[in-house]
Amino acid sequence: HLPYNRNGFKFFTSDGGLNKTDIKDILERASRVYEESAHCGKQEQTGVVTHVDYMSIYASDLVQAVLKSAGNKEKPLEGLHIVVDAGNGAGGFFVDKVLKPLGAVTDGSQFLEPDGLFPNHIPNPEDKAAMEAITQAVLNNKADLGIIFDTDVDRSAAVDSSGRELNRNRLIALMSAIVLEEHPGTTVVTDSVTSDGLTAFIEKKLGGKHHRFKRGYKNVIDEAIRLVSLLFLHDSDCPVTCPMIPSSMKCKL
């Protein structure tokens, strides 16, 4: 979602994303290794590089999750026309590796090829031009639904068949309604900029709990994980969810 001249990297381990302190530690270690190798001369390489088609594994996991939720129906999205706007970010895989295997028609999907210069629009679901692009794609193709991703596919928004945006508070409200129907009393963790109206909807309309925390997707995820760990300590059923928390850290979800 940043301009092309500010592209960067995010680092993850099996325990989750790394923060600034972790990155600083990695850079300091790398610097020491470089200095030592420069003083000691060329050393024999002992590391091993393994190439893994992780995207196919990840996409397959998404497909299996949807199939399970749909009662293992073979093509749960059959008959639905869904267009995707990846904004030339990393989300183009979603069309061929997720939606099509689930039976959806995806004609009209656009900007699926990664291009770090973002020639069509910034891949940001909160950007006006980006939302106009996916809305127009839905209307032009008479699609049932449109989905737009940010650059690294950790944020998204949707557009319904009439062109109405399902974004920000609306999207979290929709997700909360789905989760709370299956798991009453769940705590929904979001960042601090969500609206009071969302809180009222989650708590008064749906009977859940809304826990707002400081901005930053990793802050929200870490807070949800912290709450989950506290609930584990109290031998709870662990009713906590977060729109961005890894599925491996969710309980009952």
Side-chain angles (χ1 to χ4, degrees), residues 6 8 23 25 34 71 143 162 178 212:
R6 295 183 63 189
I23 300 300
D25 181 57
Y34 177 79
S162 68
I178 294 171
R212 285 192 275 199

Side-chain angles (χ1 to χ4, degrees), residues 24-251:
K24 181 181 178 182
D25 181 57
I26 289 174
L27 293 175
E28 289 175 347
R29 289 170 181 248
S31 178
R32 288 197 298 270
V33 170
Y34 177 79
E35 291 294 332
E36 290 170 1
S37 64
H39 288 300
C40 299
K42 187 175 181 180
Q43 297 180 339
E44 183 180 350
Q45 298 294 322
T46 58
V48 177
V49 176
T50 303
H51 295 277
V52 178
D53 181 14
Y54 182 71
M55 288 306 299
S56 293
I57 298 172
Y58 175 67
S60 177
D61 283 349
L62 292 178
V63 170
Q64 292 305 313
V66 174
L67 291 175
K68 182 179 179 180
S69 296
N72 293 314
K73 183 179 179 181
E74 185 177 356
K75 299 284 185 180
L77 299 184
E78 191 169 24
L80 288 176
H81 185 177
I82 303 174
V83 296
V84 172
D85 184 327
N88 300 111
F93 77 94
F94 204 74
V95 170
D96 288 332
K97 294 191 175 184
V98 178
L99 292 179
K100 286 184 178 179
L102 291 170
V105 173
T106 60
D107 297 346
S109 294
Q110 58 192 17
F111 316 142
L112 305 181
E113 292 299 320
D115 185 338
L117 295 178
F118 309 137
N120 295 289
H121 61 71
I122 296 174
N124 182 358
E126 297 182 10
D127 180 73
K128 182 179 179 181
M131 292 307 299
E132 288 176 351
I134 183 60
T135 299
Q136 201 59 50
V138 169
L139 297 176
N140 288 347
N141 291 279
K142 296 181 173 57
D144 298 301
L145 184 72
I147 302 173
I148 185 168
F149 295 113
D150 77 334
T151 316
D152 56 349
V153 207
D154 62 1
R155 292 184 300 130
S156 64
V159 175
D160 69 14
S161 59
S162 68
R164 181 176 57 176
E165 296 179 7
L166 299 173
N167 203 355
R168 302 181 182 181
N169 290 298
R170 284 181 180 174
L171 185 59
I172 297 174
L174 174 61
M175 296 167 67
S176 299
I178 294 171
V179 170
L180 283 160
E181 182 178 3
E182 298 179 359
H183 309 291
T186 291
T187 296
V188 180
V189 184
T190 71
D191 68 16
S192 59
V193 297
T194 49
S195 70
D196 292 339
L198 178 65
T199 301
F201 179 74
I202 291 173
E203 297 187 348
K204 296 179 180 180
K205 183 75 173 179
L206 301 178
K209 297 178 182 178
H210 184 198
H211 181 78
R212 285 192 275 199
F213 198 62
K214 59 186 177 182
R215 296 191 69 177
Y217 82 99
K218 191 172 187 303
N219 292 327
V220 175
I221 292 173
D222 287 346
E223 177 66 1
I225 292 172
R226 185 186 72 83
L227 293 176
V228 167
S229 66
L230 290 176
L231 289 165
F232 271 131
L233 290 174
H234 289 84
D235 194 26
S236 167
D237 283 336
C238 203
V240 175
T241 190
C242 158
M244 297 172 287
I245 192 170
S247 58
S248 60
M249 297 302 299
K250 292 181 182 177
C251 303

